[in-house]
Amino acid sequence: MSRKQELIDLLLVRGTSASRERLELESTENLEKILDNSLLNEIHAEAMNSPEVVERQRRIAEINEESHRQYEEFQLSLIFRTPVLGKVAIDNFAARKIIRSWVDEAKGDTGISVQWFLKLLKDTPSLARSLQWQSADVLDPVKRKEAESAQAEADRETFNLFCRENGFSEVDANFRLALEVLEPGFSRYALAQAAQSNALQLAPAPAEELAKFQREAYEERVDWLQNQASPLELRQAARQESEQGRAQQQRTAQQIKIRESKESSLGYVGLPETDRDGIKIDRAYLLRLADNDITRYKQFCSRYGFAAITTRINQVG
């Protein structure tokens, strides 16, 4: 068998797409080249499918994907610092998801960029309604600091009010926990939801802080009744307080009974009617003590028991 026939047989065995008749037309030299290329392609295919090469290609793909993600994140950060008609889009997860959904490769979009973003809003202004916006003043370091300070004060006020309504302590540690769980600008409803789901676990207010809450609420209520309420509001308040007072008295009495039962074996001394100076120990006395002399207030609680102190403060008897 001639060398040419051997080459043709080898190529046919290797699965060449050419027919024998077509190969017969080639010279021996060309058939040698065709065979060499076939062998090289097979070697290359085997190498590309080796575990080492597959792993290297996987790592390269991961690196390229991470590089693309970082570039996209950078472009998004620029977009949220780009003013549009005096405003900038608010940066959050939802906004980033919305902007990513606007990329349309079918329309020739190559990816996210500031130029692409501005052109898109110019061509389709209605898209802007999908985002939340704020004044571009936030880009000014001084104005941004002022806005953050004002927001922090508002958040603290919201948090303190929530604590007073729900018996949690106003301490800084509790406030910092709230800021870790919720974004600035949270509401009392958001705080309540977070607390109920155990996402936010706040320390309860101690007895002296609860007494302070009661005193301040009482003073605010008296001020409103004396200086702000209309005659109609006064009548409504009287009916409401009468109903709430009865319900509160019942709840307080139940709580006191439970506490008295727990403290009965501790041998507390009975709470006297007056102190050593002859001053009557009533609700106002105890609330004033909790506010101005917390050490002595704690001594009262330790000596006479929380049940007796709570009874006197709530005027339950």
Side-chain angles (χ1 to χ4, degrees):
M1 181 182 297
S2 66
R3 176 59 178 164
K4 181 175 182 178
Q5 289 302 315
E6 290 178 355
L7 291 172
I8 291 174
D9 289 343
L10 282 173
L11 287 170
L12 291 173
V13 169
R14 294 184 62 79
T16 180
S17 59
S19 64
R20 177 178 292 274
E21 290 75 13
R22 174 68 182 80
L23 293 175
E24 290 284 359
L25 299 175
E26 298 288 345
S27 65
T28 301
E29 183 179 357
N30 284 341
L31 291 173
E32 293 276 6
K33 291 179 180 180
I34 294 172
L35 181 59
D36 288 344
N37 288 334
S38 176
L39 292 171
L40 288 174
N41 288 336
E42 183 177 344
I43 293 171
H44 180 264
E46 291 178 356
M48 293 301 293
N49 290 323
S50 68
E52 295 82 4
V53 173
V54 170
E55 175 62 19
R56 186 161 58 250
Q57 289 178 326
R58 186 188 67 79
R59 289 290 301 137
I60 291 173
E62 287 182 352
I63 292 171
N64 289 336
E65 183 178 349
E66 177 63 17
S67 177
H68 174 74
R69 188 191 68 78
Q70 290 180 357
Y71 176 77
E72 187 176 86
E73 290 294 319
F74 172 69
Q75 290 297 322
L76 283 169
S77 69
L78 293 180
I79 284 173
F80 291 116
R81 295 200 299 271
T82 300
V84 178
L85 300 177
K87 295 183 178 181
V88 290
I90 296 177
D91 187 358
N92 53 41
F93 176 80
R96 288 173 176 255
K97 184 177 180 180
I98 290 170
I99 293 174
R100 287 191 180 99
S101 72
W102 291 345
V103 177
D104 189 348
E105 295 180 357
K107 293 183 178 180
D109 294 342
T110 57
I112 294 172
S113 68
V114 173
Q115 293 74 19
W116 164 83
F117 177 73
L118 293 175
K119 184 177 184 304
L120 194 63
L121 292 185
K122 182 179 179 181
D123 295 342
T124 315
S126 60
L127 289 176
R129 293 198 293 269
S130 303
L131 303 174
Q132 293 179 304
W133 298 83
Q134 60 185 337
S135 171
D137 286 346
V138 297
L139 301 176
D140 184 324
V142 175
K143 292 182 178 179
R144 184 172 66 247
K145 187 174 181 180
E146 292 174 351
E148 289 173 352
S149 178
Q151 185 62 67
E153 291 181 7
D155 287 343
R156 187 65 198 229
E157 184 176 344
T158 299
F159 176 78
N160 288 352
L161 184 56
F162 170 77
C163 287
R164 290 165 184 252
E165 292 174 342
N166 296 276
F168 294 113
S169 177
E170 295 179 337
V171 293
D172 289 342
N174 272 355
F175 182 57
R176 287 196 296 271
L177 282 175
L179 291 177
E180 289 178 5
V181 174
L182 302 171
E183 294 185 356
F186 51 75
S187 64
R188 283 182 290 166
Y189 174 78
L191 286 166
Q193 290 293 100
Q196 290 172 7
S197 67
N198 287 326
L200 179 61
Q201 299 182 1
L202 301 174
E208 58 269 20
E209 195 171 1
L210 290 175
K212 175 174 174 286
F213 292 167
Q214 290 178 336
R215 180 185 63 78
E216 292 180 353
Y218 174 77
E219 291 176 351
E220 289 176 3
R221 181 68 171 173
V222 169
D223 177 69
W224 180 78
L225 290 172
Q226 292 179 346
N227 303 310
Q228 303 174 48
S230 66
L232 176 60
E233 288 174 329
L234 286 172
R235 289 194 294 272
Q236 292 174 339
R239 287 195 299 270
Q240 183 181 11
E241 289 183 357
S242 176
E243 295 171 358
Q244 291 178 344
R246 286 193 295 271
Q248 181 62 39
Q249 286 283 81
Q250 292 175 354
R251 288 194 297 270
T252 302
Q254 291 174 351
Q255 292 172 354
I256 290 173
K257 285 183 180 179
I258 294 173
R259 180 160 281 178
E260 284 178 340
S261 176
K262 292 181 179 179
E263 295 180 353
S264 61
S265 61
L266 300 179
Y268 285 119
V269 178
L271 179 61
E273 292 298 323
T274 62
D275 66 7
R276 57 178 175 267
D277 297 321
I279 300 174
K280 187 176 181 180
I281 302 176
D282 56 9
R283 171 186 172 84
Y285 179 98
L286 292 171
L287 292 179
R288 189 166 54 251
L289 190 66
D291 191 43
N292 299 321
D293 191 349
I294 193 62
T295 299
R296 190 159 175 242
Y297 179 82
K298 290 180 178 179
Q299 291 172 350
F300 264 59
C301 293
S302 299
R303 180 174 175 77
Y304 304 115
F306 285 103
I309 299 297
T310 303
T311 300
R312 192 69 57 84
I313 288 177
N314 290 279
Q315 301 173 347
V316 178

